[in-house]
Amino acid sequence: MQVYGETLQSRLMLGTAQYPSPAVLQAAFEASGAGVATVSLRRESAGGDGQAFWSMIRALGVRVLPNTAGCHTAREAVTTARMAREVFGTPWVKLEVIGHNDTLQPDVFGLVEAATELCRDGFQVFPYCTEDLIVAERLLAAGCEVLMPWGAPIGSGRGLNNRHGLRRMRHEFPDTPLVVDAGLGVPSHAAAALELGYDAVLLNTAVARAGDPVAMARAFALAVEAGRSAYEATPIDASDVGSASTPVIGKAFLP
């Protein structure tokens, strides 16, 4: 997978929050093979514990994707992104501008505003968005080279709520890296996203809050691999009627 001129070896991206312990987080990453870890500025800047956390993430050898989680305005997100760039030393930023407290749906107006300013400032923006095609066009016009539509509300585990919309988005933007971000609960959700032609998935809660996060991380890794292989194998079209898979030529003739 190519994004912002870099090649990612894994199509699975993992968050770093809510794990029962740093040791479990580390083991889950190793089991998943994930090449990208999302981190929040607040976690890193939380004094001594933050520094220990940052040291552990660097030891994983994964690409760090700082996020603006918890920001509710464009101004807040832009300020957080600039602080994160100084702390983490990367132009990458997962841009979140939350617009609804219950669903954590992005404020797409604030998102486009913040993305425009950050791209102008040299950031490489990964916008957490919906499957709205017009918003997607505005984000690409602002300078984003990847889109991250939600599958379902963050942390809900509901999977792909609008499969038709996601499929349409893939069709409209065939050359843009697309990552389903948020809402996945079980590995089959990830496989479904890859089967639709999505380039990768990003998740956190489904692994971190699982009874066995390490085993679940491995399960998601296998699902991502299976989903991508299925997409590349070109699945058959669904049909409303049955079609015999066994040829009738040569069957017994009854006079």
Side-chain angles (χ1 to χ4, degrees), residues 6 9 13-14 20 25 81 84 117 136-137 140 142 174 197 202 207 217 219 236 239 244-245 247 254-255:
E6 295 195 25
Q9 299 301 326
M13 305 178 183
L14 279 183
L25 187 158
E117 185 167 349
E137 289 177 350
L140 295 176
L202 193 160
V207 168
I236 64 171
S239 173
S245 57
L254 298 178

Side-chain angles (χ1 to χ4, degrees), residues 17-44:
Q18 306 184 71
Y19 287 86
S21 71
V24 172
L25 187 158
Q26 183 174 357
F29 265 83
E30 292 170 353
S32 73
V36 173
T38 59
V39 297
S40 70
L41 178 63
R42 286 175 297 178
R43 180 72 180 270
E44 161 58 18

Side-chain angles (χ1 to χ4, degrees), residues 4 65 67-68 71 93-100 103-115 125-142 144-154 159-162 165-166 168-170 173 176-184 198 200 202:
Y4 287 114
L65 177 59
N67 65 50
T68 62
C71 293
V93 63
K94 181 193 166 192
L95 180 61
E96 293 185 23
V97 182
I98 301 301
H100 193 276
T103 65
L104 302 181
Q105 181 171 343
D107 171 357
V108 296
F109 304 101
L111 182 68
V112 172
E113 178 185 347
V125 179
F126 295 66
Y128 163 63
C129 58
T130 66
E131 61 275 58
D132 187 299
L133 300 180
I134 307 306
V135 172
E137 289 177 350
R138 300 290 173 82
L139 289 169
L140 295 176
C144 298
E145 296 184 11
V146 58
L147 299 172
M148 304 182 78
W150 66 347
I154 295 172
L160 307 182
N161 271 354
N162 185 0
L166 291 171
R168 190 64 200 174
M169 192 174 206
R170 177 72 284 176
F173 307 105
T176 300
L178 298 179
V179 180
V180 168
D181 175 16
L184 305 188
Y198 276 69
L202 193 160

Side-chain angles (χ1 to χ4, degrees), residues 12 28 30-33 187 207 212-223 225:
L12 179 59
E30 292 170 353
S32 73
V207 168
D212 185 339
V214 178
M216 188 61 79
R218 178 59 180 157
F220 267 100
L222 294 171
E225 183 178 345

